[in-house]
Amino acid sequence: MTLHLSDIEAAAARLKGKADATPLVPSPFMTEAAGVPFHLKLEMMQPIGAFKLRGAMNAVMNLPEGAQGVTCCSTGNHGRGVAFAAAARGIRAVICMSELVPQAKVDGIRALGAEVKIVGRSQDDALAESQRLVEAEGLVEISPFDDAHVIAGQGTIGLEIMRAAPELEAIYVPLSGGGLAAGVAVAAKALKPEVKIYGITMDRGAAMHESLRAGHPVDVEELPSLADSLGGGIGMNNRLSYPICREFLDGTVLVTEEEIYHAMQVLFYEDRLVAEGGSVVGLAATLTGKLPKPGGPVATIVTGRNLDMHLFHRIMAGEPVTLGDKTIRGQTYEP
Ligand SMILES: *Cc1c(COP(=O)(O)O)cnc(C)c1O
């Protein structure tokens, strides 16, 4: 099974007025740094503060008549999208998450009326609970990334970007389970085959990057990160996001916690935007020169802004931040 432009067009029609049309804005500072026009797709402006509303809404709207409810595992934002979409459809949602998920994300999901289950220390533990609920309570599971409707929903971002800026040479996509990168790559390359798509993630637990290198899905240890949204594996039985990423991505790049810290400061002090760690990796990879030098305009997707504001405040002040076993010592930002 694969994914076609027509699936993404269908998702775009379904999502119209519900989860679409975020701004694509130029970043003067990043344009200066990159040496080419640099655009930001502001997906953190979605009603749930992250792009994941697109895939979740598309999947929930596609459920058969009479569906009792949905469940999923999540690092936070997918759960929020599923909770929002389920509430809109008037059905039950049970969101399973590990202890690594920040409290700010858990609270956001509860506020939407979903049931929350905190289980174990990894996405795998959360996934097992979600799959148990399918059996035990007759709920439908919606994978955060390995689901055709979810990938098609995320792919609508690729359509919007390429229609707004057909001159783009490359799109830098934050990468975790690969649903976003897969959808964006299929959509963007259908409209412009030569556009390059790079997946970017943190070096602490880069499951898709390691899997692409190994030639098959591999497990990685899940570690606390400023990019908590990018944590978790890709599933050892991955059916869709892995093969699509393998076929359509032009490369993957890893960034460090310190680089993410700095990129969050850049986005705030230079572009006046608040975003979570997982959504600034495209800026981080550009600022550190880890991406191939572009010959023309590029864009990155600022994927979400659901973060703890105390943590955000510490980073903007240049204070050290401790996450589990790791202390990240950033610098005070000098605009
Ligand atoms: C889920 C998520 C990603 C990565 O999306 P995948 O489809 O899992 O690769 C990036 N940024 C944010 C903020 C997310 O919530």
Side-chain angles (χ1 to χ4, degrees):
M1 189 185 173
T2 158
L3 189 81
H4 302 284
L5 179 61
S6 56
D7 300 313
I8 301 171
E9 299 276 17
R14 235 174 256 123
L15 296 179
K16 203 162 171 34
K18 298 191 171 71
D20 66 341
T22 54
L24 182 72
V25 300
S27 167
F29 179 85
M30 288 303 298
T31 295
E32 183 77 31
V36 294
F38 195 105
H39 300 274
L40 308 171
K41 177 67 167 164
L42 303 186
E43 280 298 304
M44 80 289 207
M45 307 302 271
Q46 293 283 0
I48 63 152
F51 76 93
K52 284 216 174 66
L53 184 57
R54 296 180 186 251
M57 185 66 96
N58 191 42
V60 168
M61 289 176 79
N62 265 291
L63 290 174
E65 199 71 39
Q68 294 300 301
V70 288
T71 182
C72 66
C73 65
S74 173
T75 51
N77 285 331
H78 175 64
R80 199 156 172 160
V82 168
F84 186 98
R89 209 180 140 153
I91 59 174
R92 187 176 167 215
V94 186
I95 314 302
C96 304
M97 292 175 286
S98 86
E99 290 160 15
L100 288 182
V101 174
Q103 191 60 37
K105 287 198 164 92
V106 175
D107 294 344
I109 291 168
R110 283 217 175 92
L112 289 167
E115 296 158 54
V116 168
K117 296 209 163 188
I118 306 293
V119 269
R121 293 278 305 160
S122 74
Q123 272 285 91
D124 286 346
D125 296 335
L127 175 63
E129 175 63 10
S130 168
Q131 288 172 340
R132 191 189 69 75
L133 289 170
V134 171
E135 296 293 320
E137 307 198 16
L139 302 175
V140 178
E141 192 206 339
I142 300 178
S143 164
F145 50 82
D146 202 23
D147 175 294
H149 294 308
V150 169
I151 297 174
Q154 324 301 33
T156 60
I157 299 169
L159 292 184
E160 286 174 25
I161 292 176
M162 292 313 295
R163 288 190 175 136
E167 70 281 10
L168 288 185
E169 289 210 346
I171 305 176
Y172 306 145
V173 186
L175 176 68
S176 175
L180 175 64
V184 167
V186 168
K189 291 192 179 197
L191 299 187
K192 182 173 181 177
E194 65 274 26
V195 71
K196 301 270 189 264
I197 311 291
Y198 294 96
I200 305 162
T201 195
M202 75 292 199
D203 61 6
R204 281 167 73 80
M208 182 63 83
H209 170 85
E210 294 300 338
S211 300
L212 291 170
R213 274 174 47 154
H216 55 84
V218 297
D219 243 343
V220 294
E221 193 192 349
E222 208 170 318
L223 298 164
S225 167
L226 286 177
D228 53 87
S229 288
L230 305 185
I234 67 164
M236 298 306 274
N237 302 313
N238 189 297
R239 294 173 312 119
L240 288 170
S241 67
Y242 172 73
I244 298 174
C245 284
R246 188 178 52 195
E247 185 177 346
F248 287 91
L249 291 193
D250 294 281
T252 55
V253 169
L254 302 183
V255 294
T256 67
E257 296 299 313
E258 289 74 17
E259 290 162 359
I260 293 169
Y261 183 111
H262 178 67
M264 289 172 74
Q265 292 180 322
V266 166
L267 194 64
F268 180 71
Y269 284 111
E270 303 295 349
D271 289 297
R272 275 69 170 168
L273 294 172
V274 175
E276 56 184 278
S279 64
V280 301
V281 291
L283 285 86
T286 298
L287 292 167
T288 52
K290 290 181 174 177
L291 283 156
K293 199 130 194 67
V298 298
T300 191
I301 305 168
V302 184
T303 45
R305 64 172 171 201
N306 295 325
L307 83 168
D308 181 300
M309 287 311 284
H310 297 295
L311 175 75
F312 183 77
H313 190 261
R314 289 189 71 84
I315 295 172
M316 293 313 120
E319 289 166 11
V321 165
T322 299
L323 298 172
D325 62 342
K326 167 118 182 134
T327 295
I328 305 147
R329 277 173 226 290
Q331 316 247 309
T332 312
Y333 192 79
E334 304 290 348

